Amino acid sequence: MAEKPKAQDFDEVRKDIVKLLHQPEYDDGSAGPVLVRLAWHSSGTYDEETDTGGSNGAGMRYEAEGGDPANAGLQHARVFLEPVKSKHPWITYADLWTLAGIVAIKEMGGPDIEWKGGRTDYVDDSKLPPRGRLPDGAQGSDHLRHVFGRMGFSDQEIVALSGAHNLGRCHSDRSGFHGAWVHNPTRFTNQYFRLLSSLNWEKVKKDNGVEQFEHYDEDLDARLMMLPTDIALRDDSHFSPWVKKYADDKDTFFQDFAAVFAKLVELGIQRDDQGRITNVDNEKGGYHAAPKKKGEPGSPGKTSDDKVDVNEAGPLARENGNFRARL
């Protein structure tokens, strides 16, 4: 598909994303949370001052971005989406990754989020942003303002976007942290804010040396966790009013989250009055979709597209001996 795809083309992709969300042998039975993280991390490299990074280009296909330790584990999300890319080879990875996050949020009970297509895939890794632009969960409020302020987010938007921690869990072999933030990590609600503001959180040092905050629920025999950055939201005088507001008002949180997530996936995207992307790469190359990854293992050094590995499914099959995700 050389021309820009139509809305109905994306509708077919949406349907196939919904079909793959149910993954009973992966994490909490859903690919949804890791797809949301993929959309967020592929967009959150944007720098407002230099106008670099962001979701256009799908830079995570290359080692310089895909191999960033902050992106550990996102190969799962990329592999989950490969069957969709195979069925719809015309779609760019940049569009597929962001759309998948939007669809997953809605299917897990979250709000409708505006999404526009048209992103292109970079033809090489020359325009990738430097590593270190994504948040470090071990830090505090100053770090949050530095990272999110670079993208152009306000204190209110930082707190709203942090509500994505209603979904998924941390893995000690990826981020170093371990556990889920909420009782049902595959259902999008405002429980993250309610638990953050109402429970007692005890600082715990894990065996790997990482410090996080935990709460043990005796009734449910479950242990929940919060990152130091989560606690910073609760304790900071400018962040905390928004934490309390979203804990008390789910509708307002949903409305604000939808707005800020839509802003996130559009960072660095320039559009004309008709919604067409006018970034230089798009104007020169049009709607360029990188080819689907090869289905068989090969030498990363022999591919011009992805130096991470031409076949991410192979390494994952070896890595995940404790479960078999339906790829």
Side-chain angles (χ1 to χ4, degrees), residues 215-259:
H215 173 82
Y216 178 68
D217 190 318
E218 294 183 355
D219 293 332
L220 297 176
D221 190 24
R223 188 174 294 277
L224 300 176
M225 61 80 66
M226 290 285 169
L227 305 175
T229 46
D230 297 315
I231 300 301
L233 296 180
R234 183 197 67 181
D235 294 345
D236 183 273
S237 61
H238 297 285
F239 288 142
S240 60
W242 292 105
V243 171
K244 295 175 182 176
K245 184 174 184 62
Y246 295 146
D248 294 335
D249 191 339
K250 176 182 173 182
D251 291 341
T252 296
F253 165 56
F254 270 36
Q255 178 180 329
D256 288 355
F257 181 85

mmCIF file of all heavy atoms in Angstrom, residues 215-259:
data_model
loop_
_atom_site.group_PDB
_atom_site.id
_atom_site.type_symbol
_atom_site.label_atom_id
_atom_site.label_comp_id
_atom_site.label_asym_id
_atom_site.label_seq_id
_atom_site.Cartn_x
_atom_site.Cartn_y
_atom_site.Cartn_z
ATOM 1 N N HIS A 215 3.179 -2.903 50.099
ATOM 2 C CA HIS A 215 2.076 -3.020 51.053
ATOM 3 C C HIS A 215 1.551 -4.446 50.977
ATOM 4 O O HIS A 215 1.237 -4.943 49.896
ATOM 5 C CB HIS A 215 0.946 -2.044 50.717
ATOM 6 C CG HIS A 215 -0.277 -2.247 51.581
ATOM 7 N ND1 HIS A 215 -0.379 -1.726 52.850
ATOM 8 C CD2 HIS A 215 -1.428 -2.939 51.349
ATOM 9 C CE1 HIS A 215 -1.549 -2.072 53.367
ATOM 10 N NE2 HIS A 215 -2.198 -2.801 52.484
ATOM 11 N N TYR A 216 1.465 -5.090 52.128
ATOM 12 C CA TYR A 216 0.946 -6.457 52.177
ATOM 13 C C TYR A 216 -0.512 -6.438 52.604
ATOM 14 O O TYR A 216 -0.860 -5.915 53.668
ATOM 15 C CB TYR A 216 1.758 -7.319 53.138
ATOM 16 C CG TYR A 216 1.219 -8.725 53.265
ATOM 17 C CD1 TYR A 216 1.296 -9.612 52.196
ATOM 18 C CD2 TYR A 216 0.623 -9.159 54.452
ATOM 19 C CE1 TYR A 216 0.785 -10.903 52.295
ATOM 20 C CE2 TYR A 216 0.116 -10.444 54.564
ATOM 21 C CZ TYR A 216 0.200 -11.306 53.477
ATOM 22 O OH TYR A 216 -0.315 -12.580 53.581
ATOM 23 N N ASP A 217 -1.382 -6.991 51.764
ATOM 24 C CA ASP A 217 -2.815 -7.081 52.051
ATOM 25 C C ASP A 217 -3.098 -8.454 52.649
ATOM 26 O O ASP A 217 -3.075 -9.471 51.949
ATOM 27 C CB ASP A 217 -3.616 -6.885 50.756
ATOM 28 C CG ASP A 217 -5.102 -6.728 51.007
ATOM 29 O OD1 ASP A 217 -5.640 -7.472 51.857
ATOM 30 O OD2 ASP A 217 -5.733 -5.882 50.349
ATOM 31 N N GLU A 218 -3.359 -8.493 53.958
ATOM 32 C CA GLU A 218 -3.565 -9.769 54.642
ATOM 33 C C GLU A 218 -4.832 -10.466 54.176
ATOM 34 O O GLU A 218 -4.870 -11.697 54.082
ATOM 35 C CB GLU A 218 -3.633 -9.544 56.152
ATOM 36 C CG GLU A 218 -2.325 -9.054 56.758
ATOM 37 C CD GLU A 218 -2.415 -8.919 58.266
ATOM 38 O OE1 GLU A 218 -3.530 -9.116 58.810
ATOM 39 O OE2 GLU A 218 -1.388 -8.637 58.903
ATOM 40 N N ASP A 219 -5.876 -9.707 53.892
ATOM 41 C CA ASP A 219 -7.137 -10.313 53.472
ATOM 42 C C ASP A 219 -6.999 -11.037 52.139
ATOM 43 O O ASP A 219 -7.559 -12.120 51.932
ATOM 44 C CB ASP A 219 -8.234 -9.240 53.358
ATOM 45 C CG ASP A 219 -8.596 -8.655 54.708
ATOM 46 O OD1 ASP A 219 -8.441 -9.371 55.720
ATOM 47 O OD2 ASP A 219 -9.017 -7.491 54.757
ATOM 48 N N LEU A 220 -6.254 -10.440 51.231
ATOM 49 C CA LEU A 220 -6.078 -11.036 49.903
ATOM 50 C C LEU A 220 -4.789 -11.842 49.793
ATOM 51 O O LEU A 220 -4.553 -12.478 48.764
ATOM 52 C CB LEU A 220 -6.086 -9.938 48.830
ATOM 53 C CG LEU A 220 -7.390 -9.140 48.702
ATOM 54 C CD1 LEU A 220 -7.209 -8.031 47.660
ATOM 55 C CD2 LEU A 220 -8.547 -10.054 48.294
ATOM 56 N N ASP A 221 -3.974 -11.811 50.841
ATOM 57 C CA ASP A 221 -2.673 -12.473 50.825
ATOM 58 C C ASP A 221 -1.896 -12.061 49.573
ATOM 59 O O ASP A 221 -1.391 -12.896 48.820
ATOM 60 C CB ASP A 221 -2.842 -13.999 50.863
ATOM 61 C CG ASP A 221 -1.503 -14.713 51.088
ATOM 62 O OD1 ASP A 221 -0.584 -14.082 51.651
ATOM 63 O OD2 ASP A 221 -1.388 -15.887 50.677
ATOM 64 N N ALA A 222 -1.840 -10.753 49.378
ATOM 65 C CA ALA A 222 -1.173 -10.221 48.188
ATOM 66 C C ALA A 222 -0.278 -9.054 48.574
ATOM 67 O O ALA A 222 -0.601 -8.279 49.480
ATOM 68 C CB ALA A 222 -2.206 -9.764 47.167
ATOM 69 N N ARG A 223 0.837 -8.942 47.878
ATOM 70 C CA ARG A 223 1.773 -7.867 48.132
ATOM 71 C C ARG A 223 1.816 -6.963 46.902
ATOM 72 O O ARG A 223 2.087 -7.421 45.788
ATOM 73 C CB ARG A 223 3.166 -8.424 48.435
ATOM 74 C CG ARG A 223 4.173 -7.372 48.897
ATOM 75 C CD ARG A 223 5.478 -8.030 49.322
ATOM 76 N NE ARG A 223 5.297 -8.865 50.510
ATOM 77 C CZ ARG A 223 5.294 -8.416 51.749
ATOM 78 N NH1 ARG A 223 5.449 -7.126 51.988
ATOM 79 N NH2 ARG A 223 5.131 -9.244 52.754
ATOM 80 N N LEU A 224 1.528 -5.682 47.099
ATOM 81 C CA LEU A 224 1.566 -4.706 46.020
ATOM 82 C C LEU A 224 2.820 -3.849 46.154
ATOM 83 O O LEU A 224 3.457 -3.820 47.204
ATOM 84 C CB LEU A 224 0.320 -3.819 46.060
ATOM 85 C CG LEU A 224 -1.024 -4.536 45.912
ATOM 86 C CD1 LEU A 224 -2.176 -3.546 46.078
ATOM 87 C CD2 LEU A 224 -1.118 -5.230 44.557
ATOM 88 N N MET A 225 3.176 -3.150 45.098
ATOM 89 C CA MET A 225 4.386 -2.331 45.138
ATOM 90 C C MET A 225 4.143 -0.957 44.539
ATOM 91 O O MET A 225 3.190 -0.747 43.780
ATOM 92 C CB MET A 225 5.526 -3.034 44.389
ATOM 93 C CG MET A 225 5.273 -3.313 42.907
ATOM 94 S SD MET A 225 5.516 -1.914 41.791
ATOM 95 C CE MET A 225 7.259 -1.656 41.965
ATOM 96 N N MET A 226 4.994 -0.018 44.919
ATOM 97 C CA MET A 226 5.059 1.310 44.321
ATOM 98 C C MET A 226 6.525 1.651 44.094
ATOM 99 O O MET A 226 7.391 1.257 44.884
ATOM 100 C CB MET A 226 4.423 2.371 45.230
ATOM 101 C CG MET A 226 2.919 2.294 45.356
ATOM 102 S SD MET A 226 2.077 2.908 43.875
ATOM 103 C CE MET A 226 0.387 2.365 44.214
ATOM 104 N N LEU A 227 6.787 2.389 43.033
ATOM 105 C CA LEU A 227 8.138 2.850 42.754
ATOM 106 C C LEU A 227 8.439 4.112 43.564
ATOM 107 O O LEU A 227 7.520 4.823 43.975
ATOM 108 C CB LEU A 227 8.292 3.167 41.267
ATOM 109 C CG LEU A 227 7.943 2.059 40.271
ATOM 110 C CD1 LEU A 227 8.043 2.599 38.858
ATOM 111 C CD2 LEU A 227 8.854 0.861 40.460
ATOM 112 N N PRO A 228 9.709 4.432 43.768
ATOM 113 C CA PRO A 228 10.034 5.705 44.403
ATOM 114 C C PRO A 228 9.413 6.906 43.684
ATOM 115 O O PRO A 228 9.013 7.878 44.330
ATOM 116 C CB PRO A 228 11.569 5.739 44.343
ATOM 117 C CG PRO A 228 11.957 4.291 44.450
ATOM 118 C CD PRO A 228 10.916 3.566 43.618
ATOM 119 N N THR A 229 9.315 6.833 42.359
ATOM 120 C CA THR A 229 8.674 7.932 41.621
ATOM 121 C C THR A 229 7.183 8.013 41.931
ATOM 122 O O THR A 229 6.599 9.114 41.914
ATOM 123 C CB THR A 229 8.880 7.764 40.112
ATOM 124 O OG1 THR A 229 8.606 6.408 39.731
ATOM 125 C CG2 THR A 229 10.288 8.135 39.696
ATOM 126 N N ASP A 230 6.541 6.879 42.214
ATOM 127 C CA ASP A 230 5.124 6.905 42.599
ATOM 128 C C ASP A 230 4.954 7.611 43.934
ATOM 129 O O ASP A 230 4.059 8.454 44.107
ATOM 130 C CB ASP A 230 4.580 5.474 42.702
ATOM 131 C CG ASP A 230 4.610 4.718 41.391
ATOM 132 O OD1 ASP A 230 4.218 5.296 40.369
ATOM 133 O OD2 ASP A 230 5.025 3.554 41.391
ATOM 134 N N ILE A 231 5.805 7.258 44.885
ATOM 135 C CA ILE A 231 5.736 7.885 46.206
ATOM 136 C C ILE A 231 6.026 9.385 46.102
ATOM 137 O O ILE A 231 5.459 10.198 46.845
ATOM 138 C CB ILE A 231 6.717 7.200 47.171
ATOM 139 C CG1 ILE A 231 6.370 5.695 47.316
ATOM 140 C CG2 ILE A 231 6.701 7.878 48.527
ATOM 141 C CD1 ILE A 231 4.975 5.427 47.839
ATOM 142 N N ALA A 232 6.894 9.748 45.158
ATOM 143 C CA ALA A 232 7.185 11.166 44.954
ATOM 144 C C ALA A 232 5.936 11.923 44.523
ATOM 145 O O ALA A 232 5.731 13.073 44.925
ATOM 146 C CB ALA A 232 8.286 11.325 43.903
ATOM 147 N N LEU A 233 5.086 11.296 43.724
ATOM 148 C CA LEU A 233 3.828 11.937 43.321
ATOM 149 C C LEU A 233 2.951 12.196 44.533
ATOM 150 O O LEU A 233 2.314 13.245 44.648
ATOM 151 C CB LEU A 233 3.077 11.053 42.325
ATOM 152 C CG LEU A 233 3.730 10.785 40.970
ATOM 153 C CD1 LEU A 233 2.828 9.882 40.132
ATOM 154 C CD2 LEU A 233 4.027 12.078 40.225
ATOM 155 N N ARG A 234 2.917 11.235 45.446
ATOM 156 C CA ARG A 234 2.097 11.364 46.647
ATOM 157 C C ARG A 234 2.611 12.446 47.572
ATOM 158 O O ARG A 234 1.824 13.177 48.200
ATOM 159 C CB ARG A 234 2.069 10.022 47.388
ATOM 160 C CG ARG A 234 1.187 10.000 48.629
ATOM 161 C CD ARG A 234 1.529 8.812 49.518
ATOM 162 N NE ARG A 234 2.873 8.933 50.095
ATOM 163 C CZ ARG A 234 3.431 8.017 50.892
ATOM 164 N NH1 ARG A 234 2.769 6.905 51.184
ATOM 165 N NH2 ARG A 234 4.653 8.199 51.376
ATOM 166 N N ASP A 235 3.927 12.584 47.669
ATOM 167 C CA ASP A 235 4.522 13.451 48.686
ATOM 168 C C ASP A 235 4.844 14.862 48.197
ATOM 169 O O ASP A 235 5.001 15.770 49.013
ATOM 170 C CB ASP A 235 5.803 12.806 49.231
ATOM 171 C CG ASP A 235 5.513 11.515 49.998
ATOM 172 O OD1 ASP A 235 4.342 11.281 50.339
ATOM 173 O OD2 ASP A 235 6.461 10.741 50.226
ATOM 174 N N ASP A 236 4.963 15.047 46.906
ATOM 175 C CA ASP A 236 5.296 16.363 46.383
ATOM 176 C C ASP A 236 4.088 17.298 46.503
ATOM 177 O O ASP A 236 2.965 16.936 46.140
ATOM 178 C CB ASP A 236 5.725 16.238 44.924
ATOM 179 C CG ASP A 236 6.160 17.562 44.323
ATOM 180 O OD1 ASP A 236 5.275 18.300 43.820
ATOM 181 O OD2 ASP A 236 7.351 17.873 44.367
ATOM 182 N N SER A 237 4.304 18.518 46.966
ATOM 183 C CA SER A 237 3.190 19.433 47.243
ATOM 184 C C SER A 237 2.424 19.850 45.995
ATOM 185 O O SER A 237 1.247 20.238 46.091
ATOM 186 C CB SER A 237 3.714 20.679 47.972
ATOM 187 O OG SER A 237 4.663 21.371 47.170
ATOM 188 N N HIS A 238 3.062 19.783 44.833
ATOM 189 C CA HIS A 238 2.384 20.161 43.591
ATOM 190 C C HIS A 238 1.760 18.963 42.878
ATOM 191 O O HIS A 238 0.738 19.102 42.204
ATOM 192 C CB HIS A 238 3.358 20.873 42.657
ATOM 193 C CG HIS A 238 3.880 22.168 43.205
ATOM 194 N ND1 HIS A 238 3.121 23.311 43.247
ATOM 195 C CD2 HIS A 238 5.081 22.483 43.748
ATOM 196 C CE1 HIS A 238 3.824 24.297 43.782
ATOM 197 N NE2 HIS A 238 5.025 23.821 44.108
ATOM 198 N N PHE A 239 2.366 17.801 43.036
ATOM 199 C CA PHE A 239 1.808 16.587 42.442
ATOM 200 C C PHE A 239 0.629 16.040 43.255
ATOM 201 O O PHE A 239 -0.362 15.556 42.704
ATOM 202 C CB PHE A 239 2.878 15.487 42.338
ATOM 203 C CG PHE A 239 3.921 15.713 41.288
ATOM 204 C CD1 PHE A 239 5.249 15.367 41.519
ATOM 205 C CD2 PHE A 239 3.584 16.242 40.047
ATOM 206 C CE1 PHE A 239 6.226 15.559 40.547
ATOM 207 C CE2 PHE A 239 4.552 16.436 39.065
ATOM 208 C CZ PHE A 239 5.880 16.098 39.318
ATOM 209 N N SER A 240 0.753 16.083 44.581
ATOM 210 C CA SER A 240 -0.199 15.386 45.452
ATOM 211 C C SER A 240 -1.658 15.826 45.283
ATOM 212 O O SER A 240 -2.557 14.976 45.374
ATOM 213 C CB SER A 240 0.222 15.514 46.919
ATOM 214 O OG SER A 240 0.267 16.866 47.327
ATOM 215 N N PRO A 241 -1.955 17.106 45.036
ATOM 216 C CA PRO A 241 -3.374 17.459 44.837
ATOM 217 C C PRO A 241 -4.005 16.722 43.661
ATOM 218 O O PRO A 241 -5.195 16.377 43.701
ATOM 219 C CB PRO A 241 -3.322 18.970 44.593
ATOM 220 C CG PRO A 241 -2.079 19.422 45.285
ATOM 221 C CD PRO A 241 -1.101 18.315 45.076
ATOM 222 N N TRP A 242 -3.215 16.468 42.626
ATOM 223 C CA TRP A 242 -3.747 15.742 41.465
ATOM 224 C C TRP A 242 -3.904 14.258 41.778
ATOM 225 O O TRP A 242 -4.846 13.616 41.294
ATOM 226 C CB TRP A 242 -2.846 15.957 40.258
ATOM 227 C CG TRP A 242 -2.880 17.364 39.768
ATOM 228 C CD1 TRP A 242 -1.930 18.335 39.915
ATOM 229 C CD2 TRP A 242 -3.974 17.993 39.093
ATOM 230 N NE1 TRP A 242 -2.347 19.513 39.359
ATOM 231 C CE2 TRP A 242 -3.602 19.333 38.841
ATOM 232 C CE3 TRP A 242 -5.229 17.546 38.658
ATOM 233 C CZ2 TRP A 242 -4.439 20.233 38.185
ATOM 234 C CZ3 TRP A 242 -6.068 18.438 38.004
ATOM 235 C CH2 TRP A 242 -5.675 19.773 37.772
ATOM 236 N N VAL A 243 -2.996 13.714 42.582
ATOM 237 C CA VAL A 243 -3.146 12.316 43.013
ATOM 238 C C VAL A 243 -4.469 12.152 43.760
ATOM 239 O O VAL A 243 -5.242 11.217 43.501
ATOM 240 C CB VAL A 243 -1.972 11.889 43.913
ATOM 241 C CG1 VAL A 243 -2.240 10.513 44.533
ATOM 242 C CG2 VAL A 243 -0.669 11.857 43.118
ATOM 243 N N LYS A 244 -4.745 13.057 44.679
ATOM 244 C CA LYS A 244 -5.982 12.984 45.462
ATOM 245 C C LYS A 244 -7.212 13.202 44.580
ATOM 246 O O LYS A 244 -8.237 12.533 44.752
ATOM 247 C CB LYS A 244 -5.936 14.017 46.585
ATOM 248 C CG LYS A 244 -4.847 13.735 47.622
ATOM 249 C CD LYS A 244 -4.744 14.856 48.662
ATOM 250 C CE LYS A 244 -3.618 14.586 49.644
ATOM 251 N NZ LYS A 244 -3.435 15.716 50.600
ATOM 252 N N LYS A 245 -7.115 14.127 43.646
ATOM 253 C CA LYS A 245 -8.246 14.409 42.761
ATOM 254 C C LYS A 245 -8.594 13.183 41.927
ATOM 255 O O LYS A 245 -9.763 12.804 41.789
ATOM 256 C CB LYS A 245 -7.928 15.584 41.846
ATOM 257 C CG LYS A 245 -9.102 16.005 40.955
ATOM 258 C CD LYS A 245 -8.781 17.248 40.172
ATOM 259 C CE LYS A 245 -9.989 17.704 39.357
ATOM 260 N NZ LYS A 245 -11.155 18.058 40.200
ATOM 261 N N TYR A 246 -7.586 12.553 41.361
ATOM 262 C CA TYR A 246 -7.840 11.375 40.522
ATOM 263 C C TYR A 246 -8.271 10.175 41.355
ATOM 264 O O TYR A 246 -8.992 9.302 40.866
ATOM 265 C CB TYR A 246 -6.600 11.049 39.692
ATOM 266 C CG TYR A 246 -6.256 12.118 38.677
ATOM 267 C CD1 TYR A 246 -4.930 12.397 38.351
ATOM 268 C CD2 TYR A 246 -7.256 12.861 38.050
ATOM 269 C CE1 TYR A 246 -4.612 13.379 37.419
ATOM 270 C CE2 TYR A 246 -6.948 13.850 37.119
ATOM 271 C CZ TYR A 246 -5.627 14.101 36.815
ATOM 272 O OH TYR A 246 -5.319 15.076 35.890
ATOM 273 N N ALA A 247 -7.840 10.108 42.607
ATOM 274 C CA ALA A 247 -8.294 9.040 43.499
ATOM 275 C C ALA A 247 -9.784 9.191 43.789
ATOM 276 O O ALA A 247 -10.509 8.197 43.915
ATOM 277 C CB ALA A 247 -7.503 9.055 44.800
ATOM 278 N N ASP A 248 -10.241 10.423 43.866
ATOM 279 C CA ASP A 248 -11.638 10.696 44.214
ATOM 280 C C ASP A 248 -12.568 10.763 43.003
ATOM 281 O O ASP A 248 -13.779 10.604 43.140
ATOM 282 C CB ASP A 248 -11.745 12.029 44.976
ATOM 283 C CG ASP A 248 -11.056 11.981 46.329
ATOM 284 O OD1 ASP A 248 -10.920 10.870 46.875
ATOM 285 O OD2 ASP A 248 -10.644 13.053 46.820
ATOM 286 N N ASP A 249 -12.008 11.023 41.833
ATOM 287 C CA ASP A 249 -12.844 11.307 40.658
ATOM 288 C C ASP A 249 -12.341 10.536 39.443
ATOM 289 O O ASP A 249 -11.474 11.003 38.693
ATOM 290 C CB ASP A 249 -12.828 12.818 40.380
ATOM 291 C CG ASP A 249 -13.863 13.244 39.354
ATOM 292 O OD1 ASP A 249 -14.323 12.398 38.573
ATOM 293 O OD2 ASP A 249 -14.203 14.450 39.336
ATOM 294 N N LYS A 250 -12.895 9.353 39.236
ATOM 295 C CA LYS A 250 -12.478 8.495 38.125
ATOM 296 C C LYS A 250 -12.767 9.137 36.779
ATOM 297 O O LYS A 250 -11.964 9.039 35.838
ATOM 298 C CB LYS A 250 -13.196 7.146 38.226
ATOM 299 C CG LYS A 250 -12.908 6.191 37.073
ATOM 300 C CD LYS A 250 -13.707 4.905 37.228
ATOM 301 C CE LYS A 250 -13.567 4.012 36.014
ATOM 302 N NZ LYS A 250 -14.388 2.779 36.136
ATOM 303 N N ASP A 251 -13.913 9.801 36.647
ATOM 304 C CA ASP A 251 -14.288 10.403 35.362
ATOM 305 C C ASP A 251 -13.289 11.484 34.945
ATOM 306 O O ASP A 251 -12.901 11.557 33.775
ATOM 307 C CB ASP A 251 -15.698 10.989 35.435
ATOM 308 C CG ASP A 251 -16.776 9.923 35.551
ATOM 309 O OD1 ASP A 251 -16.487 8.753 35.208
ATOM 310 O OD2 ASP A 251 -17.897 10.244 35.988
ATOM 311 N N THR A 252 -12.886 12.304 35.904
ATOM 312 C CA THR A 252 -11.906 13.345 35.584
ATOM 313 C C THR A 252 -10.571 12.729 35.209
ATOM 314 O O THR A 252 -9.899 13.187 34.275
ATOM 315 C CB THR A 252 -11.725 14.298 36.786
ATOM 316 O OG1 THR A 252 -12.956 14.973 37.024
ATOM 317 C CG2 THR A 252 -10.636 15.322 36.514
ATOM 318 N N PHE A 253 -10.170 11.695 35.926
ATOM 319 C CA PHE A 253 -8.925 11.013 35.575
ATOM 320 C C PHE A 253 -8.995 10.450 34.162
ATOM 321 O O PHE A 253 -8.069 10.642 33.365
ATOM 322 C CB PHE A 253 -8.622 9.886 36.564
ATOM 323 C CG PHE A 253 -7.580 8.927 36.062
ATOM 324 C CD1 PHE A 253 -6.321 9.379 35.681
ATOM 325 C CD2 PHE A 253 -7.861 7.563 35.946
ATOM 326 C CE1 PHE A 253 -5.359 8.500 35.196
ATOM 327 C CE2 PHE A 253 -6.902 6.690 35.458
ATOM 328 C CZ PHE A 253 -5.659 7.160 35.085
ATOM 329 N N PHE A 254 -10.076 9.774 33.820
ATOM 330 C CA PHE A 254 -10.202 9.200 32.477
ATOM 331 C C PHE A 254 -10.118 10.296 31.417
ATOM 332 O O PHE A 254 -9.460 10.134 30.379
ATOM 333 C CB PHE A 254 -11.517 8.439 32.351
ATOM 334 C CG PHE A 254 -11.422 6.985 32.743
ATOM 335 C CD1 PHE A 254 -10.616 6.579 33.788
ATOM 336 C CD2 PHE A 254 -12.161 6.021 32.067
ATOM 337 C CE1 PHE A 254 -10.533 5.237 34.157
ATOM 338 C CE2 PHE A 254 -12.077 4.683 32.417
ATOM 339 C CZ PHE A 254 -11.263 4.289 33.462
ATOM 340 N N GLN A 255 -10.783 11.399 31.655
ATOM 341 C CA GLN A 255 -10.778 12.509 30.696
ATOM 342 C C GLN A 255 -9.367 13.078 30.531
ATOM 343 O O GLN A 255 -8.908 13.300 29.399
ATOM 344 C CB GLN A 255 -11.721 13.607 31.176
ATOM 345 C CG GLN A 255 -11.760 14.834 30.282
ATOM 346 C CD GLN A 255 -12.720 15.893 30.807
ATOM 347 O OE1 GLN A 255 -13.722 15.588 31.431
ATOM 348 N NE2 GLN A 255 -12.397 17.150 30.566
ATOM 349 N N ASP A 256 -8.679 13.300 31.648
ATOM 350 C CA ASP A 256 -7.335 13.878 31.590
ATOM 351 C C ASP A 256 -6.322 12.875 31.034
ATOM 352 O O ASP A 256 -5.390 13.261 30.310
ATOM 353 C CB ASP A 256 -6.907 14.342 32.980
ATOM 354 C CG ASP A 256 -7.656 15.581 33.438
ATOM 355 O OD1 ASP A 256 -8.439 16.135 32.638
ATOM 356 O OD2 ASP A 256 -7.480 15.990 34.614
ATOM 357 N N PHE A 257 -6.489 11.603 31.379
ATOM 358 C CA PHE A 257 -5.562 10.596 30.858
ATOM 359 C C PHE A 257 -5.703 10.477 29.350
ATOM 360 O O PHE A 257 -4.702 10.372 28.630
ATOM 361 C CB PHE A 257 -5.809 9.236 31.510
ATOM 362 C CG PHE A 257 -4.851 8.174 31.018
ATOM 363 C CD1 PHE A 257 -3.605 8.041 31.606
ATOM 364 C CD2 PHE A 257 -5.193 7.334 29.969
ATOM 365 C CE1 PHE A 257 -2.698 7.079 31.145
ATOM 366 C CE2 PHE A 257 -4.301 6.375 29.505
ATOM 367 C CZ PHE A 257 -3.048 6.242 30.094
ATOM 368 N N ALA A 258 -6.937 10.468 28.846
ATOM 369 C CA ALA A 258 -7.157 10.372 27.403
ATOM 370 C C ALA A 258 -6.478 11.522 26.673
ATOM 371 O O ALA A 258 -5.856 11.338 25.614
ATOM 372 C CB ALA A 258 -8.653 10.357 27.103
ATOM 373 N N ALA A 259 -6.575 12.712 27.245
ATOM 374 C CA ALA A 259 -5.966 13.881 26.616
ATOM 375 C C ALA A 259 -4.446 13.799 26.614
ATOM 376 O O ALA A 259 -3.789 14.078 25.596
ATOM 377 C CB ALA A 259 -6.421 15.149 27.337
#
